[in-house]
Amino acid sequence: MKKLINNLKISHFLFLLFLSLYIITYLFNNPWIEIFELKTLDLRYRIRGEKKIESNVVIIAIDENSLINMSINFNDEWPWNREHYARMIAKLFKLGIKTIGFDVSFTTPSESNILENGKSKDDILLSAILRKYNKTVLGTYLIVDKNNYEFYNNVYKKELENNKFYLNYSFKIKNPEYLSLFSPLTVYKIIPPIIEFSSLVPASTYEIGQLDPDGVARSIPLIFKENWAYNEGYSTGLFPHMDLILYAFYNDYSPFDFVFDPKSYSIEINNEVIKTDKNGFYLLNFYGKGENIFDTISFYDLVYSNKYDNYNFKDKVAILGYSATAKGLYDLRITPFSNNEPGVYLHATAVQNLINKDKIQRINFFYTSLILLLLLFFSLIFLTFDKITIKLFSFSIPIIYVLLSYYMFKNNVWIDTFYPFMSSLIISTVDTAQAVLKESKEKKKIKSFFFKYVPDYVAQMLLEQGKTELGGEKKNVVILMSDIVGFTEKSEKLSPEEVVKFLNYYLSQMADIIRNKYYGTIDKFIGDLIMAIFGAPIEFGDEVDRAVSCALEMRKKIIDINIELKKMGFDFEINAGIGMHYGEVVIGNIGADFRMDYTCIGDTVNTTSRIEHLTRDLNEWLIVTEEIEKRSKKYSFEYIGDFKVKGKEKPLKLFKIKG
């Protein structure tokens, strides 16, 4: 138990931290977690892609084509005479449309075609059409603040207050004692269409409502509240959205029969239940970009041409609204599929969702908290183990959860993904990183041994292969030996401190070239002699040319060293002889248990030593054997001669580099 507590100390802290943070941000309505979660919802939409459906909604677009043609052919600039809307309604119903919604409002009398009695001929015509085709829903204008309403003159306010026909469509309330828990979109006063229209057909808002914290529209307020009607005691003050009335007309329900239950946040009509959130909002299930999902018909082409006379309008819902090309008539929103989505497509999506019963159902806070608790708990189970390979399985928890949340999303269930995913991922990452660092420290102790002789990545490979024990193997390698000419005589003139200072500087410069530039392995330093291996413990395939390149670089470096020696106070210059040979050696970690050296032994080593000594007799700075000469692909060599060396029966063919 004590071991378990020690292992989970930080993990437990993170567990409690993430759980507490989630609860606190929810209670204080902090949006930062919600913003990230909403982005993951959009990502799920994008991954799913557009969803092709049999649409029951058609858009009648107030578009650029209509604005231009109405101006040219009728000399009618926006806003248009209402005669055109009357023609549209009549034509659509004759073609079989079930209901029509207006994403525009007619809140003041028309000022065109005024008759002697002061009435507009256009308003009279539209009234007659609405009386005949009363499954039409007109838009209303909303005044949010009471102070703004007070700016209207008293005559106009009196007209508005007498225009009460829209009140007939207010919700009946079930379980009214729970109304205090309900917080819908609230306005002070609804400005309905003029009484000639509102007395004939339903009128309601086409508001999109409050956007999500990231500025994206993802829902529609199916219920909104008018404080004026509630305060005056005319009604409950709760009214259905235009999209909800269109849905009622589509199903031949009466729009007078809506009932709202604040206890369960549900709308009831004809034994059907429609769920909303605690604010009366209906979460939309987007099928894709609106213009790709819903048929969009230009207003002008529909009304004043026969282009769509054979289109199947039978039993469909038509919504009139602005398109993206309607210049100057801005009604664009950001959605998961578009940064410039006309608002009319959101209404079409809402109506289609209601028809198809495609609402996205979000898992509530309680169950999301329970899911978070379980995810973190299962992650901790894997993290109790010491082995890193088992700890890595904890990363499968957030991955499986993401896959599950996407599967649920495709089935219209929204499970919060961002916070549970990130919390379990962070806990797994922190705990595993701790374990890796601990293991790394242990390996670093061993690695420090190899670091003296080979580059870091070579040492790492030895550790990964577990080659820290005594042992060896036979390998063909290049042996390079370098020795300073006449160093014994020079060192006799130096103090012990100066000898050490000189050797440390010289050997450091040469070791850097061998190890870091040409990936050679430094076998040993014997005084001023350097022995390096190319081809062990790792082979690259170009060992010979790398060794020769290294020798050339070392030769060049001696010039810089001599300049630096003068600055350091030494009154001599140095020169070095280099011998090089290729052949088989026995190589490995050779030594005692308390001390090992990665080194090689064999005839190749002895031969290289003899060749290096010949550089003084032959006055050459670099001498290589025939084995080097015939294997080099990069350099050319000049034959020096055959020379007998100790330990060899036959003379060796020796070469020097050209140039």
Side-chain angles (χ1 to χ4, degrees):
M1 187 65 183
K2 185 178 180 181
K3 181 181 178 182
L4 180 64
I5 292 172
N6 290 333
N7 286 344
L8 296 181
K9 189 175 181 181
I10 292 182
S11 300
H12 268 147
F13 171 75
L14 291 174
F15 176 92
L16 295 172
L17 174 67
F18 287 133
L19 201 58
S20 303
L21 192 61
Y22 185 70
I23 295 171
I24 290 169
T25 53
Y26 176 81
L27 294 176
F28 287 92
N29 203 25
N30 192 302
W32 75 269
I33 292 178
E34 182 68 4
I35 289 173
F36 286 109
E37 176 57 34
L38 291 170
K39 294 306 179 186
T40 69
L41 177 65
D42 292 349
L43 180 61
R44 279 170 268 186
Y45 273 117
R46 296 296 179 91
I47 293 172
R48 187 203 69 188
E50 290 190 343
K51 186 177 180 181
K52 297 301 178 184
I53 60 168
E54 289 292 329
S55 173
N56 303 95
V57 183
V58 61
I59 304 301
I60 311 302
I62 301 170
D63 57 0
E64 187 175 27
N65 171 65
S66 300
L67 293 171
I68 291 172
N69 278 287
M70 294 293 284
S71 176
I72 293 172
N73 297 320
F74 295 98
N75 195 29
D76 195 355
E77 303 296 336
W78 183 263
W80 299 328
N81 294 339
R82 290 168 185 173
E83 170 195 356
H84 306 299
Y85 300 113
R87 291 179 182 274
M88 181 200 76
I89 294 170
K91 188 169 186 178
L92 281 173
F93 277 104
K94 286 176 182 177
L95 291 172
I97 208 77
K98 192 69 174 286
T99 181
I100 303 172
F102 276 69
D103 192 6
V104 294
S105 56
F106 307 120
T107 56
T108 57
S110 173
E111 297 177 358
S112 62
N113 298 319
I114 304 299
L115 301 174
E116 291 181 0
N117 62 1
K119 299 289 184 179
S120 167
K121 182 180 177 181
D122 293 342
D123 285 348
I124 294 171
L125 175 61
L126 184 53
S127 296
I129 292 297
L130 291 174
R131 182 176 287 105
K132 183 176 181 180
Y133 304 111
N134 60 5
K135 282 194 172 183
T136 301
V137 186
L138 299 180
T140 62
Y141 180 66
L142 302 178
I143 297 177
V144 176
D145 189 76
K146 182 179 180 180
N147 293 328
N148 294 332
Y149 180 69
E150 296 300 332
F151 284 119
Y152 288 100
N153 64 65
N154 291 329
V155 175
Y156 183 57
K157 283 195 288 185
K158 190 68 175 175
E159 290 178 4
L160 290 177
E161 291 168 4
N162 289 331
N163 189 350
K164 301 187 184 74
F165 289 97
Y166 71 94
L167 297 174
N168 297 327
Y169 302 96
S170 63
F171 278 98
K172 299 174 181 65
I173 302 299
K174 181 180 179 180
N175 295 315
E177 65 272 20
Y178 289 93
L179 270 176
S180 60
L181 302 176
F182 183 57
S183 305
L185 172 68
T186 302
V187 300
Y188 178 72
K189 185 73 177 75
I190 294 171
I191 309 297
I194 59 175
I195 200 165
E196 288 85 351
F197 303 154
S198 65
S199 61
L200 301 172
V201 296
S204 186
T205 184
Y206 43 73
E207 275 293 319
I208 302 298
Q210 184 176 355
L211 303 177
D212 286 333
D214 59 349
V216 179
R218 299 185 182 87
S219 55
I220 289 285
L222 292 187
I223 306 171
F224 67 102
K225 181 179 180 179
E226 183 194 50
N227 279 334
W228 179 84
Y230 179 76
N231 295 338
E232 296 294 326
Y234 289 124
S235 75
T236 61
L238 298 178
F239 295 91
H241 192 275
M242 177 186 75
D243 300 341
L244 194 58
I245 299 176
L246 287 172
Y247 172 67
F249 277 149
Y250 176 83
N251 285 312
D252 295 320
Y253 300 157
S254 171
F256 300 104
D257 295 338
F258 282 112
V259 177
F260 178 63
D261 184 355
K263 182 179 180 180
S264 58
Y265 306 125
S266 59
I267 298 166
E268 299 174 8
I269 185 168
N270 281 50
N271 298 318
E272 185 177 340
V273 176
I274 301 168
K275 290 281 190 178
T276 71
D277 67 9
K278 63 182 180 180
N279 305 116
F281 277 77
Y282 182 85
L283 185 62
L284 298 177
N285 184 356
F286 290 91
Y287 302 109
K289 194 171 183 181
E291 63 184 16
N292 299 332
I293 303 301
F294 302 102
D295 290 343
T296 304
I297 297 172
S298 173
F299 176 90
Y300 180 84
D301 291 343
L302 170 70
V303 180
Y304 294 108
S305 77
N306 58 4
K307 188 183 293 187
Y308 293 98
D309 288 358
N310 294 322
Y311 180 86
N312 182 21
F313 288 99
K314 182 68 174 174
D315 292 333
K316 289 191 175 182
V317 178
I319 304 178
L320 173 73
Y322 308 115
S323 77
T325 63
K327 294 180 179 177
L329 307 178
Y330 182 83
D331 185 29
L332 301 177
R333 301 288 190 273
I334 301 173
T335 71
F337 283 100
S338 174
N339 290 329
N340 293 288
E341 186 78 300
V344 67
Y345 289 119
L346 274 75
H347 299 305
T349 301
V351 174
Q352 192 67 58
N353 284 175
L354 290 167
I355 292 170
N356 291 353
K357 295 178 173 48
D358 268 345
K359 181 181 184 293
I360 291 281
Q361 182 64 44
R362 186 175 187 178
I363 300 299
N364 64 29
F365 170 73
F366 173 78
Y367 288 108
T368 302
S369 301
L370 186 60
I371 289 170
L372 175 62
L373 182 66
L374 290 173
L375 274 182
L376 298 180
F377 176 74
F378 284 124
S379 296
L380 289 178
I381 289 176
F382 284 107
L383 299 176
T384 57
F385 294 91
D386 292 329
K387 286 188 176 181
I388 293 177
T389 51
I390 297 178
K391 289 179 182 290
L392 290 175
F393 278 104
S394 65
F395 289 97
S396 66
I397 301 295
I399 293 171
I400 291 171
Y401 179 69
V402 167
L403 295 175
L404 176 64
S405 71
Y406 179 69
Y407 171 80
M408 296 299 290
F409 168 74
K410 292 193 74 174
N411 288 277
N412 295 345
V413 178
W414 174 11
I415 304 176
D416 281 23
T417 301
F418 168 74
Y419 196 80
F421 170 78
M422 290 303 299
S423 300
S424 57
L425 182 64
I426 290 172
I427 285 182
S428 297
T429 301
V430 170
D431 190 89
T432 305
Q434 274 192 305
V436 169
L437 288 172
K438 183 180 178 182
E439 186 177 285
S440 178
K441 285 181 181 179
E442 294 175 357
K443 286 187 174 182
K444 196 171 182 180
K445 293 178 182 178
I446 304 172
K447 185 177 177 180
S448 62
F449 164 75
F450 292 107
F451 179 80
K452 299 176 183 178
Y453 308 102
V454 295
D456 286 355
Y457 80 98
V458 176
Q460 186 62 41
M461 180 170 286
L462 288 171
L463 290 171
E464 289 173 359
Q465 294 174 355
K467 294 184 177 180
T468 58
E469 71 286 348
L470 297 178
E473 60 180 331
K474 287 186 177 182
K475 288 193 75 172
N476 287 312
V477 299
V478 177
I479 302 295
L480 179 151
M481 287 191 181
S482 173
D483 193 16
I484 297 176
V485 178
F487 178 70
T488 303
E489 292 79 1
K490 292 181 176 62
S491 64
E492 289 176 351
K493 299 176 183 178
L494 301 174
S495 67
E497 292 81 4
E498 289 175 322
V499 171
V500 171
K501 180 181 178 182
F502 166 77
L503 285 176
N504 285 344
Y505 171 69
Y506 169 74
L507 294 175
S508 295
Q509 297 297 310
M510 292 303 174
D512 180 61
I513 295 171
I514 295 168
R515 292 177 69 253
N516 300 325
K517 290 189 176 182
Y518 296 97
Y519 306 130
T521 301
I522 295 177
D523 183 296
K524 59 176 67 72
F525 298 127
I526 305 176
D528 62 303
L529 181 138
I530 304 171
M531 176 177 164
I533 306 166
F534 293 85
I538 297 174
E539 294 181 54
F540 293 92
D542 63 342
E543 279 67 40
V544 170
D545 286 333
R546 254 188 316 118
V548 175
S549 297
C550 180
L552 289 168
E553 182 85 12
M554 292 168 70
R555 174 70 172 177
K556 184 179 178 181
K557 189 66 179 178
I558 285 177
I559 298 172
D560 298 332
I561 290 174
N562 283 327
I563 294 172
E564 189 64 28
L565 287 177
K566 288 184 179 180
K567 294 179 182 179
M568 294 169 66
F570 294 100
D571 59 356
F572 59 83
E573 293 186 349
I574 62 170
N575 193 10
I578 300 175
M580 197 180 300
H581 183 39
Y582 176 89
E584 187 179 81
V585 297
V586 174
I587 191 166
N589 298 312
I590 301 173
D593 289 336
F594 66 91
R595 179 173 177 177
M596 293 184 290
D597 285 328
Y598 185 76
T599 186
C600 61
I601 57 175
D603 180 66
T604 301
V605 178
N606 297 330
T607 301
T608 307
S609 177
R610 306 288 186 266
I611 296 168
E612 188 277 321
H613 281 292
L614 283 175
T615 58
R616 294 148 179 75
D617 299 333
L618 301 177
N619 196 28
E620 296 290 346
W621 72 272
L622 173 63
I623 296 177
V624 303
T625 63
E626 185 180 15
E627 299 300 321
I628 296 291
E629 186 272 338
K630 66 185 182 183
R631 285 175 171 79
S632 177
K633 298 176 181 179
K634 185 177 178 181
Y635 296 101
S636 298
F637 296 89
E638 183 180 329
Y639 176 64
I640 301 175
D642 289 6
F643 293 87
K644 187 84 164 70
V645 296
K646 185 178 179 181
K648 291 286 185 180
E649 293 182 2
K650 294 181 180 181
L652 295 176
K653 294 184 181 296
L654 302 181
F655 297 81
K656 65 179 181 179
I657 194 166
K658 285 186 178 180

